[in-house]
mmCIF file of all heavy atoms in Angstrom:
data_model
loop_
_atom_site.group_PDB
_atom_site.id
_atom_site.type_symbol
_atom_site.label_atom_id
_atom_site.label_comp_id
_atom_site.label_asym_id
_atom_site.label_seq_id
_atom_site.Cartn_x
_atom_site.Cartn_y
_atom_site.Cartn_z
ATOM 1 N N ILE A 4 1.300 -26.548 -150.975
ATOM 2 C CA ILE A 4 1.179 -26.643 -149.538
ATOM 3 C C ILE A 4 0.149 -27.735 -149.165
ATOM 4 O O ILE A 4 0.411 -28.568 -148.288
ATOM 5 C CB ILE A 4 0.778 -25.260 -148.926
ATOM 6 C CG1 ILE A 4 1.925 -24.241 -149.131
ATOM 7 C CG2 ILE A 4 0.488 -25.399 -147.455
ATOM 8 C CD1 ILE A 4 1.533 -22.884 -148.621
ATOM 9 N N TYR A 5 -0.933 -27.679 -149.806
ATOM 10 C CA TYR A 5 -1.995 -28.754 -149.600
ATOM 11 C C TYR A 5 -1.441 -30.131 -149.867
ATOM 12 O O TYR A 5 -1.666 -31.072 -149.161
ATOM 13 C CB TYR A 5 -3.246 -28.468 -150.336
ATOM 14 C CG TYR A 5 -4.385 -29.415 -150.051
ATOM 15 C CD1 TYR A 5 -5.339 -29.165 -149.047
ATOM 16 C CD2 TYR A 5 -4.495 -30.671 -150.737
ATOM 17 C CE1 TYR A 5 -6.324 -30.087 -148.803
ATOM 18 C CE2 TYR A 5 -5.460 -31.606 -150.428
ATOM 19 C CZ TYR A 5 -6.384 -31.289 -149.444
ATOM 20 O OH TYR A 5 -7.333 -32.167 -149.102
ATOM 21 N N ILE A 6 -0.798 -30.226 -151.062
ATOM 22 C CA ILE A 6 -0.254 -31.499 -151.470
ATOM 23 C C ILE A 6 0.776 -32.080 -150.512
ATOM 24 O O ILE A 6 0.754 -33.249 -150.108
ATOM 25 C CB ILE A 6 0.357 -31.425 -152.836
ATOM 26 C CG1 ILE A 6 -0.758 -31.178 -153.881
ATOM 27 C CG2 ILE A 6 1.161 -32.691 -153.244
ATOM 28 C CD1 ILE A 6 -0.238 -30.910 -155.346
ATOM 29 N N ARG A 7 1.713 -31.178 -149.980
ATOM 30 C CA ARG A 7 2.685 -31.579 -149.022
ATOM 31 C C ARG A 7 1.979 -32.065 -147.677
ATOM 32 O O ARG A 7 2.399 -33.043 -147.027
ATOM 33 C CB ARG A 7 3.598 -30.484 -148.698
ATOM 34 C CG ARG A 7 4.552 -30.078 -149.870
ATOM 35 C CD ARG A 7 5.645 -29.120 -149.384
ATOM 36 N NE ARG A 7 6.394 -28.614 -150.507
ATOM 37 C CZ ARG A 7 6.278 -27.390 -151.035
ATOM 38 N NH1 ARG A 7 5.469 -26.509 -150.521
ATOM 39 N NH2 ARG A 7 7.076 -27.060 -152.031
ATOM 40 N N ASP A 8 0.882 -31.430 -147.337
ATOM 41 C CA ASP A 8 0.234 -31.751 -146.112
ATOM 42 C C ASP A 8 -0.626 -32.986 -146.113
ATOM 43 O O ASP A 8 -0.853 -33.629 -145.089
ATOM 44 C CB ASP A 8 -0.717 -30.544 -145.675
ATOM 45 C CG ASP A 8 0.129 -29.330 -145.173
ATOM 46 O OD1 ASP A 8 1.267 -29.456 -144.883
ATOM 47 O OD2 ASP A 8 -0.555 -28.217 -145.106
ATOM 48 N N HIS A 9 -1.086 -33.371 -147.306
ATOM 49 C CA HIS A 9 -2.021 -34.451 -147.477
ATOM 50 C C HIS A 9 -1.573 -35.675 -148.260
ATOM 51 O O HIS A 9 -2.194 -36.745 -148.195
ATOM 52 C CB HIS A 9 -3.364 -33.932 -148.005
ATOM 53 C CG HIS A 9 -4.040 -32.968 -147.157
ATOM 54 N ND1 HIS A 9 -3.763 -31.601 -147.159
ATOM 55 C CD2 HIS A 9 -5.057 -33.074 -146.248
ATOM 56 C CE1 HIS A 9 -4.473 -30.957 -146.285
ATOM 57 N NE2 HIS A 9 -5.319 -31.782 -145.705
ATOM 58 N N HIS A 10 -0.504 -35.544 -148.965
ATOM 59 C CA HIS A 10 -0.042 -36.638 -149.852
ATOM 60 C C HIS A 10 0.259 -37.908 -148.997
ATOM 61 O O HIS A 10 -0.074 -39.006 -149.360
ATOM 62 C CB HIS A 10 1.181 -36.241 -150.672
ATOM 63 C CG HIS A 10 1.809 -37.388 -151.382
ATOM 64 N ND1 HIS A 10 1.384 -37.943 -152.590
ATOM 65 C CD2 HIS A 10 2.859 -38.173 -150.987
ATOM 66 C CE1 HIS A 10 2.159 -38.934 -152.920
ATOM 67 N NE2 HIS A 10 3.037 -39.158 -152.020
ATOM 68 N N GLY A 11 0.999 -37.718 -147.963
ATOM 69 C CA GLY A 11 1.429 -38.878 -147.123
ATOM 70 C C GLY A 11 0.258 -39.630 -146.603
ATOM 71 O O GLY A 11 0.270 -40.869 -146.699
ATOM 72 N N ALA A 12 -0.725 -38.938 -146.086
ATOM 73 C CA ALA A 12 -1.964 -39.663 -145.547
ATOM 74 C C ALA A 12 -2.686 -40.438 -146.623
ATOM 75 O O ALA A 12 -3.144 -41.543 -146.393
ATOM 76 C CB ALA A 12 -2.862 -38.599 -144.856
ATOM 77 N N TYR A 13 -2.789 -39.801 -147.802
ATOM 78 C CA TYR A 13 -3.449 -40.486 -148.916
ATOM 79 C C TYR A 13 -2.660 -41.742 -149.348
ATOM 80 O O TYR A 13 -3.285 -42.759 -149.504
ATOM 81 C CB TYR A 13 -3.604 -39.510 -150.106
ATOM 82 C CG TYR A 13 -4.081 -40.199 -151.336
ATOM 83 C CD1 TYR A 13 -5.385 -40.614 -151.472
ATOM 84 C CD2 TYR A 13 -3.184 -40.423 -152.408
ATOM 85 C CE1 TYR A 13 -5.805 -41.325 -152.589
ATOM 86 C CE2 TYR A 13 -3.634 -41.095 -153.540
ATOM 87 C CZ TYR A 13 -4.932 -41.526 -153.662
ATOM 88 O OH TYR A 13 -5.315 -42.224 -154.766
ATOM 89 N N ALA A 14 -1.397 -41.562 -149.506
ATOM 90 C CA ALA A 14 -0.563 -42.770 -150.012
ATOM 91 C C ALA A 14 -0.672 -43.872 -148.981
ATOM 92 O O ALA A 14 -0.858 -45.050 -149.304
ATOM 93 C CB ALA A 14 0.871 -42.418 -150.138
ATOM 94 N N GLU A 15 -0.643 -43.540 -147.662
ATOM 95 C CA GLU A 15 -0.813 -44.564 -146.609
ATOM 96 C C GLU A 15 -2.181 -45.265 -146.647
ATOM 97 O O GLU A 15 -2.326 -46.460 -146.586
ATOM 98 C CB GLU A 15 -0.575 -43.919 -145.235
ATOM 99 C CG GLU A 15 -0.623 -44.956 -144.039
ATOM 100 C CD GLU A 15 -0.420 -44.232 -142.734
ATOM 101 O OE1 GLU A 15 -0.035 -43.081 -142.695
ATOM 102 O OE2 GLU A 15 -0.615 -44.921 -141.718
ATOM 103 N N SER A 16 -3.212 -44.467 -146.880
ATOM 104 C CA SER A 16 -4.540 -44.987 -146.930
ATOM 105 C C SER A 16 -4.795 -45.872 -148.156
ATOM 106 O O SER A 16 -5.409 -46.935 -148.065
ATOM 107 C CB SER A 16 -5.591 -43.866 -146.965
ATOM 108 O OG SER A 16 -5.525 -43.160 -145.816
ATOM 109 N N TYR A 17 -4.194 -45.474 -149.310
ATOM 110 C CA TYR A 17 -4.300 -46.295 -150.553
ATOM 111 C C TYR A 17 -3.669 -47.630 -150.323
ATOM 112 O O TYR A 17 -4.211 -48.642 -150.654
ATOM 113 C CB TYR A 17 -3.643 -45.523 -151.669
ATOM 114 C CG TYR A 17 -3.983 -45.960 -153.023
ATOM 115 C CD1 TYR A 17 -5.067 -45.351 -153.758
ATOM 116 C CD2 TYR A 17 -3.413 -47.062 -153.605
ATOM 117 C CE1 TYR A 17 -5.403 -45.740 -155.041
ATOM 118 C CE2 TYR A 17 -3.747 -47.456 -154.911
ATOM 119 C CZ TYR A 17 -4.773 -46.813 -155.632
ATOM 120 O OH TYR A 17 -5.116 -47.240 -156.863
ATOM 121 N N GLY A 18 -2.414 -47.658 -149.783
ATOM 122 C CA GLY A 18 -1.743 -48.914 -149.531
ATOM 123 C C GLY A 18 -2.531 -49.767 -148.536
ATOM 124 O O GLY A 18 -2.571 -51.003 -148.716
ATOM 125 N N LYS A 19 -3.091 -49.168 -147.496
ATOM 126 C CA LYS A 19 -3.823 -49.939 -146.461
ATOM 127 C C LYS A 19 -5.063 -50.627 -147.073
ATOM 128 O O LYS A 19 -5.300 -51.788 -146.887
ATOM 129 C CB LYS A 19 -4.227 -49.012 -145.331
ATOM 130 C CG LYS A 19 -5.015 -49.732 -144.226
ATOM 131 C CD LYS A 19 -5.348 -48.773 -143.126
ATOM 132 C CE LYS A 19 -6.199 -49.472 -142.054
ATOM 133 N NZ LYS A 19 -6.573 -48.565 -140.982
ATOM 134 N N ILE A 20 -5.818 -49.816 -147.898
ATOM 135 C CA ILE A 20 -7.021 -50.364 -148.556
ATOM 136 C C ILE A 20 -6.633 -51.520 -149.426
ATOM 137 O O ILE A 20 -7.295 -52.554 -149.462
ATOM 138 C CB ILE A 20 -7.764 -49.270 -149.301
ATOM 139 C CG1 ILE A 20 -8.458 -48.310 -148.352
ATOM 140 C CG2 ILE A 20 -8.719 -49.881 -150.348
ATOM 141 C CD1 ILE A 20 -9.718 -48.880 -147.720
ATOM 142 N N ALA A 21 -5.495 -51.399 -150.157
ATOM 143 C CA ALA A 21 -5.102 -52.442 -151.092
ATOM 144 C C ALA A 21 -4.785 -53.716 -150.339
ATOM 145 O O ALA A 21 -5.093 -54.808 -150.772
ATOM 146 C CB ALA A 21 -3.923 -51.947 -151.935
ATOM 147 N N ARG A 22 -4.074 -53.561 -149.208
ATOM 148 C CA ARG A 22 -3.685 -54.716 -148.366
ATOM 149 C C ARG A 22 -4.926 -55.408 -147.746
ATOM 150 O O ARG A 22 -5.000 -56.639 -147.827
ATOM 151 C CB ARG A 22 -2.730 -54.307 -147.245
ATOM 152 C CG ARG A 22 -1.322 -53.914 -147.787
ATOM 153 C CD ARG A 22 -0.349 -53.787 -146.663
ATOM 154 N NE ARG A 22 -0.683 -52.670 -145.723
ATOM 155 C CZ ARG A 22 -0.296 -51.380 -145.913
ATOM 156 N NH1 ARG A 22 0.442 -51.145 -146.969
ATOM 157 N NH2 ARG A 22 -0.611 -50.458 -145.038
ATOM 158 N N VAL A 23 -5.855 -54.636 -147.310
ATOM 159 C CA VAL A 23 -7.100 -55.167 -146.715
ATOM 160 C C VAL A 23 -7.851 -55.925 -147.797
ATOM 161 O O VAL A 23 -8.401 -57.042 -147.552
ATOM 162 C CB VAL A 23 -7.908 -54.161 -146.026
ATOM 163 C CG1 VAL A 23 -9.263 -54.683 -145.589
ATOM 164 C CG2 VAL A 23 -7.197 -53.536 -144.849
ATOM 165 N N LEU A 24 -8.079 -55.320 -148.945
ATOM 166 C CA LEU A 24 -8.793 -55.990 -150.067
ATOM 167 C C LEU A 24 -8.092 -57.230 -150.544
ATOM 168 O O LEU A 24 -8.737 -58.195 -150.849
ATOM 169 C CB LEU A 24 -8.943 -55.000 -151.199
ATOM 170 C CG LEU A 24 -9.947 -53.882 -150.973
ATOM 171 C CD1 LEU A 24 -9.927 -52.891 -152.161
ATOM 172 C CD2 LEU A 24 -11.402 -54.422 -150.879
ATOM 173 N N GLN A 25 -6.805 -57.175 -150.563
ATOM 174 C CA GLN A 25 -6.024 -58.404 -150.938
ATOM 175 C C GLN A 25 -6.289 -59.528 -150.001
ATOM 176 O O GLN A 25 -6.544 -60.642 -150.423
ATOM 177 C CB GLN A 25 -4.485 -58.079 -150.922
ATOM 178 C CG GLN A 25 -3.568 -59.220 -151.265
ATOM 179 C CD GLN A 25 -3.587 -59.513 -152.729
ATOM 180 O OE1 GLN A 25 -3.676 -58.663 -153.565
ATOM 181 N NE2 GLN A 25 -3.490 -60.814 -153.074
ATOM 182 N N ARG A 26 -6.294 -59.234 -148.764
ATOM 183 C CA ARG A 26 -6.521 -60.222 -147.652
ATOM 184 C C ARG A 26 -8.012 -60.760 -147.693
ATOM 185 O O ARG A 26 -8.219 -61.879 -147.619
ATOM 186 C CB ARG A 26 -6.130 -59.722 -146.307
ATOM 187 C CG ARG A 26 -6.305 -60.726 -145.180
ATOM 188 C CD ARG A 26 -5.764 -60.190 -143.852
ATOM 189 N NE ARG A 26 -6.666 -59.092 -143.420
ATOM 190 C CZ ARG A 26 -6.273 -57.826 -143.238
ATOM 191 N NH1 ARG A 26 -4.985 -57.467 -143.632
ATOM 192 N NH2 ARG A 26 -7.082 -56.881 -142.871
ATOM 193 N N GLU A 27 -8.943 -59.778 -147.687
ATOM 194 C CA GLU A 27 -10.301 -60.144 -147.482
ATOM 195 C C GLU A 27 -11.048 -60.596 -148.688
ATOM 196 O O GLU A 27 -12.006 -61.380 -148.621
ATOM 197 C CB GLU A 27 -11.111 -58.940 -146.836
ATOM 198 C CG GLU A 27 -10.544 -58.471 -145.567
ATOM 199 C CD GLU A 27 -10.687 -59.485 -144.443
ATOM 200 O OE1 GLU A 27 -11.561 -60.315 -144.512
ATOM 201 O OE2 GLU A 27 -9.930 -59.423 -143.511
ATOM 202 N N VAL A 28 -10.620 -60.068 -149.892
ATOM 203 C CA VAL A 28 -11.407 -60.430 -151.108
ATOM 204 C C VAL A 28 -10.581 -61.274 -152.049
ATOM 205 O O VAL A 28 -11.004 -62.312 -152.579
ATOM 206 C CB VAL A 28 -11.777 -59.085 -151.852
ATOM 207 C CG1 VAL A 28 -12.611 -59.435 -153.073
ATOM 208 C CG2 VAL A 28 -12.674 -58.276 -150.875
ATOM 209 N N VAL A 29 -9.362 -60.885 -152.361
ATOM 210 C CA VAL A 29 -8.571 -61.621 -153.329
ATOM 211 C C VAL A 29 -8.097 -62.986 -152.749
ATOM 212 O O VAL A 29 -8.028 -63.978 -153.426
ATOM 213 C CB VAL A 29 -7.308 -60.802 -153.788
ATOM 214 C CG1 VAL A 29 -6.470 -61.575 -154.756
ATOM 215 C CG2 VAL A 29 -7.809 -59.473 -154.444
ATOM 216 N N GLY A 30 -7.723 -62.967 -151.429
ATOM 217 C CA GLY A 30 -7.458 -64.258 -150.796
ATOM 218 C C GLY A 30 -6.239 -64.344 -149.954
ATOM 219 O O GLY A 30 -6.122 -65.239 -149.161
ATOM 220 N N SER A 31 -5.260 -63.383 -150.140
ATOM 221 C CA SER A 31 -4.058 -63.539 -149.366
ATOM 222 C C SER A 31 -3.399 -62.180 -149.271
ATOM 223 O O SER A 31 -3.443 -61.387 -150.232
ATOM 224 C CB SER A 31 -3.060 -64.582 -149.973
ATOM 225 O OG SER A 31 -1.790 -64.503 -149.273
ATOM 226 N N ASP A 32 -2.812 -61.802 -148.133
ATOM 227 C CA ASP A 32 -2.016 -60.564 -148.046
ATOM 228 C C ASP A 32 -0.557 -60.788 -148.082
ATOM 229 O O ASP A 32 0.247 -59.905 -147.840
ATOM 230 C CB ASP A 32 -2.396 -59.840 -146.724
ATOM 231 C CG ASP A 32 -2.048 -60.695 -145.494
ATOM 232 O OD1 ASP A 32 -1.623 -61.818 -145.651
ATOM 233 O OD2 ASP A 32 -2.096 -60.106 -144.400
ATOM 234 N N GLU A 33 -0.166 -62.007 -148.498
ATOM 235 C CA GLU A 33 1.294 -62.275 -148.588
ATOM 236 C C GLU A 33 1.779 -61.953 -149.952
ATOM 237 O O GLU A 33 1.308 -62.448 -150.947
ATOM 238 C CB GLU A 33 1.494 -63.823 -148.318
ATOM 239 C CG GLU A 33 1.202 -64.207 -146.902
ATOM 240 C CD GLU A 33 1.515 -65.679 -146.706
ATOM 241 O OE1 GLU A 33 2.049 -66.347 -147.584
ATOM 242 O OE2 GLU A 33 1.287 -66.140 -145.540
ATOM 243 N N GLU A 34 2.760 -61.061 -150.039
ATOM 244 C CA GLU A 34 3.305 -60.597 -151.291
ATOM 245 C C GLU A 34 4.312 -61.647 -151.765
ATOM 246 O O GLU A 34 5.127 -62.086 -150.982
ATOM 247 C CB GLU A 34 3.945 -59.263 -151.124
ATOM 248 C CG GLU A 34 4.255 -58.554 -152.406
ATOM 249 C CD GLU A 34 4.831 -57.131 -152.116
ATOM 250 O OE1 GLU A 34 5.667 -57.013 -151.195
ATOM 251 O OE2 GLU A 34 4.426 -56.180 -152.797
ATOM 252 N N LYS A 35 4.256 -62.009 -153.058
ATOM 253 C CA LYS A 35 5.157 -62.857 -153.661
ATOM 254 C C LYS A 35 6.533 -62.304 -153.618
ATOM 255 O O LYS A 35 6.776 -61.169 -154.051
ATOM 256 C CB LYS A 35 4.728 -63.232 -155.000
ATOM 257 C CG LYS A 35 5.744 -64.084 -155.806
ATOM 258 C CD LYS A 35 5.317 -64.210 -157.284
ATOM 259 C CE LYS A 35 6.443 -64.929 -158.104
ATOM 260 N NZ LYS A 35 6.128 -64.910 -159.532
ATOM 261 N N THR A 36 7.491 -63.148 -153.161
ATOM 262 C CA THR A 36 8.959 -62.737 -153.231
ATOM 263 C C THR A 36 9.520 -63.336 -154.479
ATOM 264 O O THR A 36 9.588 -64.569 -154.618
ATOM 265 C CB THR A 36 9.713 -63.146 -152.005
ATOM 266 O OG1 THR A 36 9.112 -62.507 -150.857
ATOM 267 C CG2 THR A 36 11.189 -62.729 -152.102
ATOM 268 N N MET A 37 10.010 -62.517 -155.374
ATOM 269 C CA MET A 37 10.639 -63.012 -156.648
ATOM 270 C C MET A 37 12.110 -63.227 -156.430
ATOM 271 O O MET A 37 12.839 -62.352 -156.034
ATOM 272 C CB MET A 37 10.392 -62.032 -157.758
ATOM 273 C CG MET A 37 10.876 -62.545 -159.131
ATOM 274 S SD MET A 37 10.517 -61.346 -160.450
ATOM 275 C CE MET A 37 8.731 -61.543 -160.574
ATOM 276 N N SER A 38 12.627 -64.417 -156.798
ATOM 277 C CA SER A 38 14.026 -64.712 -156.597
ATOM 278 C C SER A 38 14.878 -63.958 -157.669
ATOM 279 O O SER A 38 14.231 -63.525 -158.678
ATOM 280 C CB SER A 38 14.282 -66.233 -156.792
ATOM 281 O OG SER A 38 14.026 -66.604 -158.120
ATOM 282 N N ASN A 39 16.111 -63.802 -157.434
ATOM 283 C CA ASN A 39 16.972 -63.124 -158.418
ATOM 284 C C ASN A 39 16.985 -63.810 -159.773
ATOM 285 O O ASN A 39 17.018 -63.206 -160.840
ATOM 286 C CB ASN A 39 18.353 -63.026 -157.858
ATOM 287 C CG ASN A 39 18.518 -61.998 -156.808
ATOM 288 O OD1 ASN A 39 17.652 -61.115 -156.624
ATOM 289 N ND2 ASN A 39 19.617 -62.022 -156.064
ATOM 290 N N GLY A 40 16.859 -65.202 -159.723
ATOM 291 C CA GLY A 40 16.823 -65.954 -160.958
ATOM 292 C C GLY A 40 15.605 -65.664 -161.749
ATOM 293 O O GLY A 40 15.613 -65.461 -163.038
ATOM 294 N N GLU A 41 14.404 -65.655 -161.059
ATOM 295 C CA GLU A 41 13.158 -65.286 -161.744
ATOM 296 C C GLU A 41 13.184 -63.848 -162.295
ATOM 297 O O GLU A 41 12.709 -63.617 -163.439
ATOM 298 C CB GLU A 41 12.017 -65.412 -160.763
ATOM 299 C CG GLU A 41 11.729 -66.891 -160.341
ATOM 300 C CD GLU A 41 10.572 -66.862 -159.302
ATOM 301 O OE1 GLU A 41 10.779 -66.288 -158.222
ATOM 302 O OE2 GLU A 41 9.509 -67.491 -159.583
ATOM 303 N N LEU A 42 13.766 -62.987 -161.453
ATOM 304 C CA LEU A 42 13.842 -61.575 -161.966
ATOM 305 C C LEU A 42 14.664 -61.418 -163.211
ATOM 306 O O LEU A 42 14.353 -60.776 -164.192
ATOM 307 C CB LEU A 42 14.482 -60.698 -160.856
ATOM 308 C CG LEU A 42 14.713 -59.253 -161.200
ATOM 309 C CD1 LEU A 42 13.433 -58.583 -161.603
ATOM 310 C CD2 LEU A 42 15.310 -58.515 -159.980
ATOM 311 N N LEU A 43 15.841 -62.103 -163.264
ATOM 312 C CA LEU A 43 16.685 -62.090 -164.430
ATOM 313 C C LEU A 43 16.022 -62.671 -165.725
ATOM 314 O O LEU A 43 16.143 -62.206 -166.823
ATOM 315 C CB LEU A 43 18.016 -62.780 -164.151
ATOM 316 C CG LEU A 43 18.911 -62.147 -163.085
ATOM 317 C CD1 LEU A 43 20.138 -62.963 -162.892
ATOM 318 C CD2 LEU A 43 19.283 -60.679 -163.542
ATOM 319 N N ASN A 44 15.296 -63.779 -165.438
ATOM 320 C CA ASN A 44 14.536 -64.420 -166.590
ATOM 321 C C ASN A 44 13.516 -63.444 -167.142
ATOM 322 O O ASN A 44 13.293 -63.238 -168.314
ATOM 323 C CB ASN A 44 13.823 -65.686 -166.124
ATOM 324 C CG ASN A 44 14.763 -66.842 -165.978
ATOM 325 O OD1 ASN A 44 15.899 -66.818 -166.586
ATOM 326 N ND2 ASN A 44 14.402 -67.793 -165.111
#
């Protein structure tokens, strides 16, 4: 019951922190789009 009530908020917060750190510390919040050719390689 606790997991069902709180998992969604935790997952959302984890993703948000990762995006903010990517933008503010790592340097960019733009995720690389991999082409189908690169994916197959």
Side-chain angles (χ1 to χ4, degrees):
I4 294 176
Y5 183 92
I6 293 174
R7 291 189 188 107
D8 289 344
H9 295 84
H10 170 83
Y13 170 70
E15 182 179 351
S16 297
Y17 198 95
K19 180 180 178 182
I20 286 287
R22 290 190 296 273
V23 172
L24 287 173
Q25 178 75 36
R26 182 177 66 248
E27 300 294 336
V28 181
V29 179
S31 171
D32 62 351
E33 293 182 3
E34 192 174 45
K35 173 189 173 185
T36 299
M37 184 177 291
S38 69
N39 286 344
E41 291 176 300
L42 175 58
L43 293 177
N44 286 336

